[in-house]
Amino acid sequence: MAGKRSATIYDVAAAAFVSIATVSRVLNGSIHVLPETRERVDEAIKQLQFVPSSAARSLSGGRRWSIGLAYPLDGDRSIVSPQREDDSSALYNDAIVRGASWQAAQLGYSLFACAVRTGQDAEAQVIHRLYSAVDGIILTDRVVHNVGAMRIAKRMHAVHLSGSGTSQFGGTIRVDNAGGISELVRHLATVHQIVDFGFVGGSAESPDATARFEAFRDAVAKVGGNLRSENLLNGEFSLAKAEAALTARLADSAALPQAFVCANDQMAIGALHVLRDQGIDVPRDLVVTGFDDIALANQVHPALTTIAQPSFELGVAAVTMVIGLLDREIEVGSVQTLPTSLVVRSSCGCESPESGQAKKANS
Amino acid sequence: MAGKRSATIYDVAAAAFVSIATVSRVLNGSIHVLPETRERVDEAIKQLQFVPSSAARSLSGGRRWSIGLAYPLDGDRSIVSPQREDDSSALYNDAIVRGASWQAAQLGYSLFACAVRTGQDAEAQVIHRLYSAVDGIILTDRVVHNVGAMRIAKRMHAVHLSGSGTSQFGGTIRVDNAGGISELVRHLATVHQIVDFGFVGGSAESPDATARFEAFRDAVAKVGGNLRSENLLNGEFSLAKAEAALTARLADSAALPQAFVCANDQMAIGALHVLRDQGIDVPRDLVVTGFDDIALANQVHPALTTIAQPSFELGVAAVTMVIGLLDREIEVGSVQTLPTSLVVRSSCGCESPESGQAKKANS
DNA sequence: TCCTTCAATGTAAGTGCTTACATGTAAGCA
DNA sequence: TGCTTACATGTAAGCACTTACATTGAAGGA
């Protein structure tokens, strides 16, 4: 801890009897350094416990070898109750972060993840701080709906994750929401003879939410299903809000649909809770499906039929794209779409052989 | 993306017909600026969409207003399979990260979380990069077992999370492992008349693992319980490894204990899986308990009786301590211990009223 | 009226790096 | 041997800020 100021490149240069330029070359792995000199410098670095200042590095235009990832942490909820409560929302981001970390490490970078409380004054500031510490940045969905973020996006190597791809950004990675949804709806219609559909949607400001709903509507139309407006719920991507919305819906006497398709797994799990409490059996009385395939999806009872997002690969792809942008090996403005896939488990009425939790022994 | 370079303080100064010093004063809210001048500068800032470079700011001596948090991501496993697989390990860190982010935001800082693949060559490098981007750093348990990390810890504002508190660090936050364990063992002995105990432990290099085992051993001795060596399993804190260890143990003909106390929830969940597959009913035939109270603990069946770590508060406390260190308001070398608490659910044989998943409707 | 004092602003010296350009040196070749 | 080359290294100019110190000018006191 503490003590005197930490060593600078000058100290190292002095200790190794070279100029700071040479130290810098060693630091950045330049080819033009005598092995012997390099060794001397490395030794001095170790001796002095020198760590280059990334602030200075950024200022002078060098690489920081790190990339940032900003993901949303809902501000309002956190302020009311900072506790874990609805923290399953984090599960989705988690896989992305891990994918991104993994790929960053593969390419010699480090990944700094930063939770941004959306809707806070400080939001832009946080993104700025992150920005100034990295070479490129990945902005997930909702954090982007902010002036500051937009401004940054315009001026740096930024990729937008699962966004609507309004360009402005260096690149965009999207998920094939429509493909997954239509496969799901087809499955429900064909295998389970479902005609009357319901939907639990996500936050209006999320491009993903919109995309999923529209895909759903289209898919239902395509299979000739029907969709009554009273069965169109909004759970804002949150378990608790979905529970509330469904509870309110159940209080209504209107007939329930045969299936509730939910725009993410957390809401589906919330629905499962409410339905069990009300004595409505899933999938016998009502089918429920999710979206994302978070880790919990396979642990709940009944195991959730859902659409797998390649979350891990999303992180991988985003990092690859940012670094490609950095290296100018990728065109600015490219868009990449990752596939989704239907994961059939028990909550749609199929028996799932793969799920441990869904086994007979359990019920 | 791109376009011309963004405005600097010079551009603003020129546009407002003042010097850069005055702009800086406006930026930092100095008192010595004529309201009229201030207004002119503000106008120019808005006009040029000027955002001060935080890199330059930090360089010139200011704070970066951000703190780093390094947590482990098991290297070996990630390399073999980068997929989500055993990713419940992330759940524990998640709450810490969220607590830290939250508290950082409260105090005007930002939190950068960085997954470090333990045991990799790049480990020290990653921590260095993180270090050089922040004002202070939080190192969780296992990432510390590394020369590079140690070196950093010695010279900067670093706090060690749930470590053994060997000083070296600016500060240490610990969890009262012993208190929770002994409460649990007392509960098992008193309420459930358990005498014959088993244990599934964690990685040897983790101070937490050691602390938990020792506390367990002592607690069992205190209640006069017994503990046979063949019931001492090692699951390395991993779901999969715990499954393997327990499967191997079941192949042995020796009598099983009445309860397996696991050093974390993931391993307990693994045990649950194996036992169900073998037709051994929990809690009727065998009691299983966890540690940490991760989100999944309440979702599995039967709901896990476990010891709640105040993970969120751990993050909060760590950030508070780092910033206290930064502000020199806290003594170097302080140690803070956070309490744990027993969470009784179904896997010990108690009926849990609070758990949705554990309700009668389900079984 | 002259000197002091202080508020408003400007000047310039860092801050720790990267890198273009300059320099020096030894090898290669006629 | 003398000249070109290529490589190893050094010099110094930024990079975009903060801030100590300098400067200016007007108000206030004697």
Side-chain angles (χ1 to χ4, degrees), chain A residues 79-132:
Chain A
I79 279 173
V80 175
S81 155
Q83 303 307 324
R84 48 168 58 188
E85 193 185 311
D86 196 14
D87 68 358
S88 44
S89 73
L91 296 181
Y92 169 63
N93 291 315
D94 179 65
I96 296 179
V97 171
R98 289 180 48 257
S101 296
W102 192 82
Q103 180 67 355
Q106 291 297 305
L107 301 178
Y109 284 72
S110 302
L111 194 279
F112 300 160
C114 183
V116 178
R117 294 205 274 168
T118 56
Q120 296 291 294
D121 284 352
E123 183 175 340
Q125 190 183 46
V126 169
I127 295 183
H128 251 103
R129 286 177 188 159
L130 180 59
Y131 160 32
S132 75

Side-chain angles (χ1 to χ4, degrees), chain B residues 48-71:
Chain B
L48 295 168
Q49 301 197 358
F50 167 71
V51 180
S53 144
S54 81
R57 271 191 155 156
S58 3
L59 225 209
S60 60
R63 289 222 177 147
R64 262 148 290 227
W65 295 103
S66 50
I67 86 116
L69 166 47
Y71 61 91

Side-chain angles (χ1 to χ4, degrees), chain B residues 283-301:
Chain B
R284 204 192 51 208
D285 305 335
L286 181 55
V287 162
V288 169
T289 66
F291 201 121
D292 286 347
D293 195 24
I294 60 176
L296 237 95
N298 195 24
Q299 302 286 339
V300 294
H301 180 82

Side-chain angles (χ1 to χ4, degrees), chain B residues 8-71:
Chain B
T8 72
I9 200 172
Y10 291 93
D11 302 322
V12 175
F17 304 105
V18 296
S19 74
I20 58 168
T22 300
V23 176
S24 180
R25 288 189 189 102
V26 170
L27 249 29
N28 296 290
S30 160
I31 228 70
H32 295 298
V33 181
L34 232 44
E36 178 193 310
T37 310
R38 180 185 303 275
E39 202 165 308
R40 208 146 25 89
V41 171
D42 279 333
E43 179 59 26
I45 288 175
K46 198 165 296 175
Q47 215 70 50
L48 295 168
Q49 301 197 358
F50 167 71
V51 180
S53 144
S54 81
R57 271 191 155 156
S58 3
L59 225 209
S60 60
R63 289 222 177 147
R64 262 148 290 227
W65 295 103
S66 50
I67 86 116
L69 166 47
Y71 61 91

